[in-house]
Structure formats: C-alpha cells, structure tokens
Amino acid sequence: AETVGEGIPIYYSKIEHFFIRHPGGYQLNGTPRVAVWCSADRGEHWERSGYFGVEQSHFLFQAEIDGPHWIRFAGPGQGIVEVPPGMPHRIYVVDRHPPRIEMRVEPAPWYLNEQEQRVPRTYQIGEEVTLHWSVYDAYLVSETIYLGTCFAKFPRNLVWSRFPKALPASGSMRIEIPAESIGGGGLRFRMEATDKAGNVGVAMTEVLRIAGMELAIAEPIGRPVGPSDVIQQTQGTPGPRPGWPNAGAMLRGGTSVVLNWMPESVADYDTVELHFSADDGRTWRAVATGLKPGREARWTVPAVTSKICRLRLVAVAAGGQQTMLAETARFTVDTVLPDTALGPKPLEPAE
C-alpha cells in the first residue's frame, strides 16, 4: 500500500462502504474490544465509529463524504509510542468521482457562418489538427492517460485504436488526418484516465467530418465492371499499400490474397489479426492470425457477395481486449456460385 509520513498506509475506495481490517488480525474472545475512531478533518476532530465484534476480522465503515478518513484504533495492543496521539494508524480515501477530462480540437469541428449559424467544418486528408487536453483529479494515477482514435460514427465504432504511450495530465499534439477516416465515416478522438480508487474517466471529441466522406460511405457506383477488373486489388497493385483494398475495389470470393502492407504500429504488439466484415463492420471474422511486420500475410476472401465489406487489422491483448490499428473503406466481394444441373434426376439402371 501507499504510505505517508512515518509509514502510515493509505487505501483508496470508490464507494462509501469499505472494510477496515483488525490491527491484530481479529478480535480475541474474552479481551476488551478494539474501538475504531475516525477523523474526516485531518485530526482536528475525532469520533468513535464503533467496535470490532467478537472474532471479527473486519469492521464495515460507511463514509459520509469523499476525501481522506483518518482511522485510529483504541484498545489492547494499540500503544501510543509508535503512533503519536492525534495521528492515524491508517488513512482511507473515499473517491467516488472519475477523473475529469477536457479535450479540444483546433480548428474546431464547428464554426459560425456569416448568418451566425453553427455549421460543421470539413477537414482534408493530410491536414494537421491540434488536440489539446487536460485531466483533473486529486488522486490521478500517472501513466494511465491514453489517447485513442476511431474511424466511424456511433454505434459502429466498437473498436478503438490506442496510442502505445501514456500521456501527461495536460498537453497538446499535432495529428495528421489519415486516409482511413474517409471510408469510416469520420474521425473521432477519445481519452481515458484512471485514479487511485479505480475510477475511469472517459472523454470524446465530436466526429470530425472529412472531405469525400459522403461519397466513400455511399454504395459504390461506377462504370460496369468487366472480367479484367474483378481481381484488380487482390495482388496489391496499384496503390501505396500493397494488398490493402482501396475504396470501391472488387474482390472475388474464394480467391487467395497477399497483404504486403501493415502500419508501423503493428511492431508494438505481439498478437495481430486480420478481420473481415461483410456487413459494414457490424460483425467480424478472423481471416488471418499471427501477423508480423515485414512479413506478407495470405488470406482467403470469404465466399460472400456484398458491396459493404471491410478489412481491419486488430491487436489482441492477453485478456481479449482489441485495439484497431487500421481499417479499410468499403469494398465489394463477388462470389460466383457453382453451376447447378437442372432437370429430372437420371433413373438408376434396371437390374
């Protein structure tokens, strides 16, 4: 436990009820009971909260307010030499409020036009935005402030990516808007922080609208597709991300695809999987596992027919927590059904 002063332990609770352990292990039968005294004003005033019952190892305490509660025991074995009068044997801090997080994006997602109307701002791919943040909590745990992003609007943004390094309690950073935010329906930032009582604070920015987002998330419409266009993305050309389907690309169901591109963040994780969705991200299935940076990944396009397919790279922690590293825009998968023989079933030859 955390200590203060002359080795006085400090414990934290996120609820008003908590147990105080008996200083001697448990209340012995036939000996005077140990009393529990409490001060909520750092030793200026003390009140007796009660006694340990016979053979009782823990005392159930109820705090009326948040903040530190000094606890002192009175009874057999509680000498005043080790802990001077007026000082606690233990300190229990009640904190029922999560960290407060403030986030601000510049330029702001909304602005006032000439008619003083609030209208959404449209950002460009490659444009840099500045994210400012401040986290407030008296008992904030350092190294627990993390920033995440998601390329979508609710309720489809179930998987958030997370920056691998913890952030300070206040600061700012410049972030370049990635191309993935077009097909996902926009870009959103989220920050989380934890205090010593275990409360988790979460804050999110509004969705940043990206230029071309409306066209990318619409159903792919274009010229008729000929036979030579069907598998144009399966071998990873053209484009700067070999094997990563571009928006509106068409893949043939049942074919094998080689993925030669992965983001640099893959190197920060031990387990990375490739997931496929045929319903615009509502459900996912793993199509390749054990992906490593610098190695090609081969996967088979599922035998489906859908115009709203997506791929994503996901890091999977030991506890099952998923962190999205990259996601494609919508693309199409077309599966050719095998020929079916029609007509009456041939008769068995007569014996």
Side-chain angles (χ1 to χ4, degrees):
E2 178 183 348
T3 60
V4 67
E6 298 297 327
I8 301 174
I10 303 179
Y11 303 93
Y12 296 87
S13 174
K14 61 181 178 180
I15 58 177
E16 65 272 22
H17 296 88
F18 56 87
F19 285 99
I20 299 176
R21 180 176 48 83
H22 192 288
Y26 66 95
Q27 179 67 46
L28 294 176
N29 192 6
T31 61
R33 293 187 297 166
V34 175
V36 178
W37 288 75
C38 175
S39 172
D41 53 11
R42 300 181 185 274
E44 293 187 14
H45 302 87
W46 291 85
E47 292 183 359
R48 188 175 59 200
S49 302
Y51 296 88
F52 283 94
V54 176
E55 298 185 355
Q56 186 177 5
S57 60
H58 291 78
F59 178 86
L60 179 59
F61 185 90
Q62 179 178 355
E64 296 182 357
I65 59 174
D66 283 18
H69 292 72
W70 288 15
I71 300 297
R72 187 175 176 87
F73 305 108
Q78 311 305 313
I80 64 173
V81 178
E82 297 180 0
V83 180
M87 294 299 292
H89 291 98
R90 300 176 195 159
I91 298 177
Y92 290 84
V93 178
V94 177
D95 181 9
R96 292 175 286 186
H97 302 282
R100 180 169 61 90
I101 304 175
E102 296 180 357
M103 302 179 68
R104 178 168 53 90
V105 176
E106 289 184 352
W110 298 84
Y111 68 95
L112 297 179
N113 60 14
E114 297 178 353
Q115 291 75 33
E116 298 296 320
Q117 296 175 328
R118 190 168 179 261
V119 295
R121 184 184 305 276
T122 300
Y123 301 85
Q124 304 292 328
I125 292 298
E127 178 182 353
E128 285 191 344
V129 297
T130 302
L131 179 67
H132 305 269
W133 72 88
S134 296
V135 184
Y136 305 93
D137 195 288
Y139 309 106
L140 182 67
V141 179
S142 60
E143 303 297 321
T144 65
I145 304 173
Y146 286 96
L147 177 67
T149 58
C150 188
F151 306 122
K153 295 181 180 180
F154 282 111
R156 201 185 63 77
N157 53 354
L158 302 178
V159 177
W160 290 79
S161 65
R162 174 190 274 193
F163 286 45
K165 295 183 179 180
L167 301 175
S170 62
S172 62
M173 68 167 59
R174 297 184 64 85
I175 301 174
E176 180 178 321
I177 296 179
E180 290 88 349
S181 54
I182 293 183
L187 173 64
R188 201 169 203 176
F189 297 101
R190 181 181 73 172
M191 182 166 287
E192 60 182 51
T194 307
D195 62 24
K196 295 179 179 180
N199 300 300
V200 179
V202 178
M204 289 179 286
T205 66
E206 297 188 60
V207 176
L208 277 59
R209 296 171 56 88
I210 312 300
M213 185 176 70
E214 293 80 4
L215 295 177
I217 64 176
E219 294 294 337
I221 299 176
R223 61 181 176 81
V225 178
S228 61
D229 300 318
V230 171
I231 316 180
Q232 61 180 5
Q233 290 295 324
T234 58
Q235 301 304 319
T237 55
R241 298 180 176 182
W244 193 249
N246 292 335
M250 178 176 287
L251 306 183
R252 178 73 74 187
T255 59
S256 180
V257 181
V258 176
L259 175 62
N260 288 317
W261 173 87
M262 295 183 195
E264 296 180 357
S265 56
V266 169
D268 298 327
Y269 302 93
D270 295 329
T271 303
V272 178
E273 299 178 349
L274 182 66
H275 292 182
F276 173 86
S277 173
D279 53 10
D280 201 22
R282 292 176 177 83
T283 59
W284 296 88
R285 71 178 83 172
V287 292
T289 59
L291 276 62
K292 300 293 182 182
R295 299 180 185 177
E296 66 178 28
R298 184 176 296 275
W299 63 285
T300 300
V301 182
V304 299
T305 297
S306 172
K307 295 182 179 180
I308 51 174
C309 298
R310 291 180 183 269
L311 279 180
R312 71 181 184 187
L313 285 168
V314 175
V316 183
Q321 179 184 3
Q322 296 183 348
T323 301
M324 186 175 67
L325 307 179
E327 183 177 350
T328 68
R330 288 177 175 177
F331 61 91
T332 298
V333 170
D334 181 65
T335 300
V336 178
L337 298 177
D339 295 335
T340 302
L342 300 178
K345 183 179 179 180
L347 296 176
E348 296 291 338
E351 295 183 358

